[in-house]
Amino acid sequence: MSSALTDLCRYPVVQAPMAGGVSRPQLVSAVAEAGGLGFLAAGYKTVDGMYNEIKQLRRMTGQPFGVNLFMPQPNLADPSAVEVYRHQLAGEAAWYETPLGDPDSSGDDGYEAKLAILLEDPVPVVSFTFGCPTRDALDALAGVGSYTVVTVTSPEEAQAAESAGADAICVQGAEAGGHRSTHRDDPQTDDTGIGLLSLVAQVRETVQLPLIASGGIMRGSQIAAVVAAGAEAAQLGTAFLVCPESGAHLLHKQALTNPLFVRTALTRAFSGRPARGLVNRFVREHGPYAPAAYPQVHHVTSGLRKAAAKAGDAQGMALWAGQGHRMARELPAGRLVELLAEELDAARTALSTRSTQ
């Protein structure tokens, strides 16, 4: 591992920032205390909500941690397409007895205000999703001592992040659960995602920055594989989602290993942006018709998702999950970090033994 990443965590294990309440301080602190690098997710939170979680986390651990920001999104949505989708969801609104949300709510997620807070009261690591910050923003964060990470899904995006001055790159493979962190949301590329091992190798030959590999990783042997491919660390989301410290809804946790949910798919059904989740009724019925309209669709379906969870109906929830979801282990987060480190060591030992035979 690079010295900068080594200073941040004892093991090359990064807990992914999962927005929507999953990556709460209890999870991040448990990961950090065990020797991994945990991330708070600032996405979908108010500025005060983000800052309160940072303060809470600091009371729980003195170890390094990160905060993830959503980049502001250009308004490229077709209002008529959004309105058609709203009409399609009218039956869902009636079924769950809740109104559809306003698609015209704010689209920048409070980015500038959150960035200002992180510059005023710095955290060890700041990462970015859905785009690349300006050089001025990255330089400003570097100036206050924050290590910066930009999430990418292609070698071209990695080059842009390196040129802008990022300290490291999180390489997100097509296997990853949750939203694809493409810098430009183009519906023509929905089915063109690159698998993680291939993507790490391509990005490794494109940029000189340290790489964090993300996408479908559930075991220490997979961490060994991405490190061998050129990454310095692995980022895991779905693996931590089932931990007791995770803020995920119980139905979401149970669904990951429920035989009823046999596969994942990329869908725009819940947010208007491609995201990988378990295929349920909502995805099957509405995914093919959802427009490319983020965050408009996210706002429209917000009430539906909450109502489905309240009703105990996993078929109407956004069950984000990576392709390795059936390998989820319901362990305390700290123990999971330790087990991943043990599996990584075992994989390295096995490889070394075979190479000397």
Side-chain angles (χ1 to χ4, degrees):
M1 294 177 64
S2 70
S3 59
L5 284 176
T6 303
D7 290 342
L8 292 169
C9 50
R10 186 161 69 252
Y11 304 123
V13 177
V14 180
Q15 166 250 308
M18 294 170 279
V22 179
S23 298
R24 58 183 181 174
Q26 293 91 328
L27 176 62
V28 180
S29 63
V31 170
E33 288 294 310
L37 177 64
F39 269 90
L40 289 174
Y44 306 138
K45 291 188 176 71
T46 64
V47 177
D48 288 343
M50 178 196 77
Y51 191 46
N52 286 335
E53 285 203 345
I54 292 173
K55 291 190 291 186
Q56 182 183 351
L57 179 57
R58 283 173 170 155
R59 292 192 293 267
M60 300 172 74
T61 182
Q63 298 301 317
F65 64 91
V67 174
N68 176 260
L69 299 181
F70 284 175
M71 292 298 298
Q73 298 299 290
N75 186 4
L76 303 176
D78 178 353
S80 62
V82 175
E83 189 58 29
V84 168
Y85 194 55
R86 278 177 57 86
H87 283 299
Q88 181 179 330
L89 296 177
E92 299 283 352
W95 175 257
Y96 291 116
E97 299 180 340
T98 189
L100 297 174
D102 179 8
D104 297 322
S105 300
S106 175
D108 70 356
D109 201 52
Y111 171 76
E112 292 293 347
K114 290 173 181 176
L115 183 60
I117 289 291
L118 295 175
L119 289 172
E120 181 179 333
D121 193 357
V123 298
V125 188
V126 180
S127 69
F128 300 87
T129 295
F130 299 155
C132 183
T134 64
R135 173 169 284 279
D136 286 346
L138 291 170
D139 286 349
L141 287 166
V144 296
S146 294
Y147 191 82
T148 56
V149 182
V150 173
T151 309
V152 308
T153 62
S154 70
E156 293 76 17
E157 291 174 352
Q159 285 180 311
E162 183 176 53
S163 297
D167 291 315
I169 290 171
C170 179
V171 180
Q172 186 194 51
E175 304 93 331
H179 284 93
R180 289 188 65 193
S181 189
T182 50
H183 292 190
R184 179 173 176 269
D185 184 13
D186 181 0
Q188 301 300 316
T189 64
D190 280 4
D191 297 322
T192 62
I194 304 172
L196 182 59
L197 284 176
S198 294
L199 185 57
V200 167
Q202 292 178 41
V203 173
R204 179 70 290 156
E205 294 187 1
T206 303
V207 300
Q208 302 301 312
L209 298 179
L211 306 183
I212 300 170
S214 175
I217 299 173
M218 304 294 287
R219 297 287 188 268
S221 58
Q222 293 171 291
I223 298 175
V226 295
V227 170
E232 282 72 25
Q235 179 171 283
L236 298 82
T238 305
F240 285 104
L241 196 149
V242 295
C243 294
E245 298 91 344
S246 155
H249 194 283
L250 179 59
L251 288 176
H252 191 171
K253 294 182 179 184
Q254 293 173 338
L256 294 180
T257 53
N258 187 335
L260 185 64
F261 302 101
V262 298
R263 65 186 182 93
T264 66
L266 282 175
T267 182
R268 294 178 180 268
F270 295 104
S271 71
R273 214 180 202 279
R276 184 172 297 282
L278 301 178
V279 176
N280 58 8
R281 177 193 61 79
F282 199 100
V283 171
R284 288 192 298 270
E285 293 183 2
H286 302 295
Y289 310 105
Y294 177 89
Q296 288 84 356
V297 171
H298 166 79
H299 295 313
V300 168
T301 67
S302 177
L304 297 178
R305 289 177 275 123
K306 292 175 182 176
K310 185 176 180 180
D313 183 9
Q315 295 294 339
M317 297 170 59
L319 304 173
W320 304 137
Q323 288 183 343
H325 65 95
R326 298 300 294 273
M327 301 168 70
R329 299 176 284 196
E330 192 176 346
L331 297 169
R335 175 55 190 145
L336 179 56
V337 171
E338 295 169 353
L339 182 56
L340 289 167
E342 293 167 7
E343 292 171 344
L344 171 61
D345 284 344
R348 286 171 165 167
T349 299
L351 181 62
S352 176
T353 300
R354 285 197 295 269
S355 65
T356 57
Q357 289 177 344

